[in-house]
Amino acid sequence: MNYQDIDTPALLIDETVLNRNLEYMSAYAKNKNVKLRPHTKTHKMPYLAMKQRDHGATGITVAKVGEAEIMAVYGLKDIFIANQIVGKQKLERIKKLAEQINICFGVDSIHHIEEIDEVFEGADKKAQVLIEIEVGEERSGIIEEIDYKLLLNSIRASKNVELKGIFSHDGHTYKAVDKDDCYDLFMTATTRTLHFANIARDMDFDIETVSIGSTPPFMFGFDIPEGVTEIRPGTYILMDGSQSNAINSYDHSAASVLTTVISKPTDERVITDVGAKGLTAQSRSKGLTATEGFGKIKEYDGVYVYGVFDEHAIIYNRAFNQSVNIGDKVRIIPNHICPVSNLYHKAYLINNDEVVKEIDIAAQGKLQ
């Protein structure tokens, strides 16, 4: 059927643009001689994860244990949870997954090592961990070298934990002022990551993996310093308003939300049937990824969602108002695709305006 026949709100994915994005990142990783381990929290769809694997990904990244469990059910066998895992319940689930697939996860504290060591006692193989290095995002990760060395010694003393490598996330590149600033932030973060890898090597640790991530630097095609072994871009596969603003083009925007015009109360106000529950209320306010409003109307230049209620999008644009009728359907490019994917049970893959596949968002809501 034509995508215009889909009931709304609905998440759409343009197959042509999707494939172009997949091919771009695959070629980029190959050209830079690094492994590709995409972050599937962007889409939460095993179908897309398998397409990423088919386009050269050596494994995938997830954010939560529940996502890893779903991806494993669908045949993904090499998974990294780029997050600190705390709590014996979650660690027991990882221990069980480790019996079937290659799985590793993040740590940044001696507390993590002690808890993992206890849970993995008696396991067939040691827990595989990567230490997270904080590189400027001001989130989780090791900051001080002394704490890092103490953590390394804790791993050395552990019976059931094995250090596979280190990782970092330069998410603050989303707030870069321009391309040059993005490059400086990227290089500073990557240099710091490599420095910590060398500290571990100086302490006689075999660092197999040095993993870095976030989409903006890779969309710009920056060179990757020697010593980095893998990259973890997420948003690149579907893109969104903020990423499109960064590269000054919506040509890579594969995802959109289909919505119906349900009211035109004034000659400039238009109401559609998707709100915060289907679009989120997210925006970006700083740097090259800064967004206007709460989503861009795909079919109309310069038309944005002014505001959202739970179930309503509010648009103020006189020309747009005169161009659409109640009952018409338009597409909205979300500001941030990752949380939007988590709001839908399925997505519709379209090609030349025709629906070619319904894709189950199997990891939707897997937050534990």
Side-chain angles (χ1 to χ4, degrees), residues 170-244:
D170 53 345
H172 54 304
T173 57
Y174 281 85
K175 298 179 181 179
V177 175
D178 53 27
K179 182 178 178 180
D180 289 341
D181 188 33
C182 184
Y183 179 75
D184 289 343
L185 292 172
F186 167 69
M187 287 301 298
T188 300
T190 304
T191 300
R192 176 173 165 83
T193 305
L194 290 168
H195 171 66
F196 275 80
N198 287 332
I199 290 175
R201 292 189 179 103
D202 289 343
M203 292 177 63
D204 295 325
F205 282 90
D206 180 17
I207 301 300
E208 173 188 336
T209 300
V210 179
S211 179
I212 63 174
S214 96
T215 292
F218 308 141
M219 291 304 298
F220 283 130
F222 293 156
D223 286 335
I224 297 176
E226 185 176 356
V228 173
T229 66
E230 76 174 23
I231 59 174
R232 304 187 320 278
T235 307
Y236 81 94
I237 186 173
L238 297 179
M239 294 293 278
D240 52 27
S242 65
Q243 290 287 350
S244 296

Side-chain angles (χ1 to χ4, degrees), residues 293-313:
F294 296 93
K296 178 190 181 298
I297 308 302
K298 186 178 179 71
E299 293 86 352
Y300 296 85
D301 290 337
V303 182
Y304 300 88
V305 176
Y306 173 82
V308 289
F309 290 84
D310 283 351
E311 307 292 355
H312 300 78

Side-chain angles (χ1 to χ4, degrees), residues 10 90 94 104 162 193 215 326-327 340 348:
K90 290 183 175 66
I94 292 177
C104 52
E162 183 174 324
T193 305
T215 292
I326 292 176
V340 172
Y348 295 87

Side-chain angles (χ1 to χ4, degrees), residues 11 14 30 67 78 87 104 166 235 344 357 364 366:
L11 181 61
D14 186 307
K30 184 176 181 180
E67 292 174 344
D78 194 323
C104 52
I166 66 172
T235 307
Y344 293 86
K357 185 178 181 62
Q364 181 203 19
K366 299 298 181 181

Side-chain angles (χ1 to χ4, degrees), residues 101 107 155 159 196 326 359:
I101 66 170
V107 299
I155 293 173
K159 295 187 297 180
F196 275 80
I326 292 176
I359 306 173

Side-chain angles (χ1 to χ4, degrees), residues 333-350:
I333 297 173
N335 287 339
H336 187 190
I337 187 58
C338 301
V340 172
S341 296
N342 192 54
L343 299 175
Y344 293 86
H345 296 305
K346 62 183 176 182
Y348 295 87
L349 190 65
I350 61 173

Side-chain angles (χ1 to χ4, degrees), residues 97-148:
L97 278 171
E99 298 172 358
Q100 311 157 33
I101 66 170
N102 294 322
I103 188 163
C104 52
F105 54 100
V107 299
D108 69 1
S109 165
I110 291 175
H111 173 92
H112 298 144
I113 304 307
E114 292 173 345
E115 193 170 49
I116 296 165
D117 204 33
E118 180 180 348
V119 172
F120 271 73
E121 180 66 33
D124 291 337
K125 57 182 179 181
K126 293 183 178 182
Q128 304 292 302
V129 302
L130 278 76
I131 297 175
E132 182 177 14
I133 309 301
E134 210 283 311
V135 292
E137 187 180 29
E138 298 184 352
R139 200 171 67 178
S140 52
I142 283 286
I143 297 174
E144 302 296 338
E145 288 187 17
I146 183 62
D147 294 327
Y148 181 60

